Amino acid sequence: MSDRVELTGMVLQSAPIGEYDRRVVLLTRERGRISGFARGARRQNSPLIAATKPFTFGTFECYEGKSSYNIYQAQVINYFEELSQDFEAAYYGMYFLEFAEYYTRENNDERDMLNLLYVTLRALTNPRLDRRLIRYVYELRTMVVNGEYPECFACVNCGSREHLVGYSNRKNGTLCVECIRELGGQPLLDSTIYTLQYVILAPFEKLYQFTVTPAVLEEYSAIVDRFRKLYVDREFKTLGVLETLSLV
């Protein structure tokens, strides 16, 4: 007999199944990323119509089966309706969902990934924040949660924590003033190095409480772009759309 469980999470993906049902992918606090079926969720009077849309965050009551979950009830905490009303924000948000799905697994402790995704979507609804900056902050911090990030607190060549002035693509980390003369590398603004350090260490609730100049964003985004391409072996459809529309 199936067990009844209550899961807190966000809908990453939703697709029609059969005539009236939906298959959803949820990122949950308790079980990591899971697949579930919402029977009758496409019927006009179904209480699960809105609860099974991407971006929906709430609690989902399910029956646990052998290989998937059956969702029979949901209490929505946040629909992130603002994203559905803004074409650019919606595509950024869909990319963040796709990126989260790539990095998460079933039965893993994905609480940090879920919390990060939630605060990132909240930031995306703030019209005062630069969406390109949100994107690159989210990408780097997601990789940090997964244990992958460049060395930004010491010289990657000699270990010195003083006078960091540049970045080595070959060694994936910052360089001090002496080592950049010896090895070459990309000179960086002090604010770019600080931005890298801040994104790696900041509490989630303070992750998007800063802005940068266009020059810093260009340096920072170039480093994160290269690092992502080095460690992520997948092409994201939503990112391709953003690039085609020159939104990133």
Side-chain angles (χ1 to χ4, degrees), residues 99 102-103 113 139-151 172 200 227-228 230-233:
F99 204 69
Y102 171 84
Y103 264 109
M113 287 291 198
E139 286 179 347
L140 178 57
R141 192 55 182 264
T142 299
M143 291 186 283
V144 169
V145 171
N146 199 53
E148 302 164 347
Y149 54 93
E151 170 57 73
N172 293 313
I200 290 170
F227 200 80
R228 187 195 77 250
L230 186 64
Y231 283 95
V232 178
D233 59 350

Side-chain angles (χ1 to χ4, degrees), residues 119-131:
V119 299
T120 301
L121 294 181
R122 285 283 301 273
L124 199 54
T125 64
N126 184 342
R128 296 188 299 273
L129 295 178
D130 186 319
R131 287 167 179 169

Side-chain angles (χ1 to χ4, degrees), residues 88-89 92 123 136 153 169 174 185-186 200 206 208 243:
E88 179 183 298
Y92 270 104
Y136 287 110
F153 298 90
N169 286 329
T174 48
Q186 175 189 352
I200 290 170
K206 295 184 178 179
Y208 297 102
E243 290 172 342

Side-chain angles (χ1 to χ4, degrees), residues 31-87:
R31 303 290 176 89
R33 190 192 75 203
I34 64 167
S35 295
F37 293 90
R39 309 294 179 187
R42 294 165 59 212
R43 293 183 184 275
Q44 191 171 4
N45 61 346
S46 172
L48 292 175
I49 288 178
T52 53
K53 292 180 179 179
F55 304 122
T56 301
F57 178 82
T59 57
F60 299 82
E61 296 181 44
C62 313
Y63 289 107
E64 182 180 4
K66 290 184 179 180
S67 59
S68 65
Y69 294 75
N70 288 316
I71 303 166
Y72 66 89
Q73 192 170 327
Q75 294 182 331
V76 176
I77 297 170
N78 196 336
Y79 289 107
F80 288 99
E81 290 179 276
E82 303 96 327
L83 300 183
S84 64
Q85 298 163 9
D86 184 325
F87 178 80

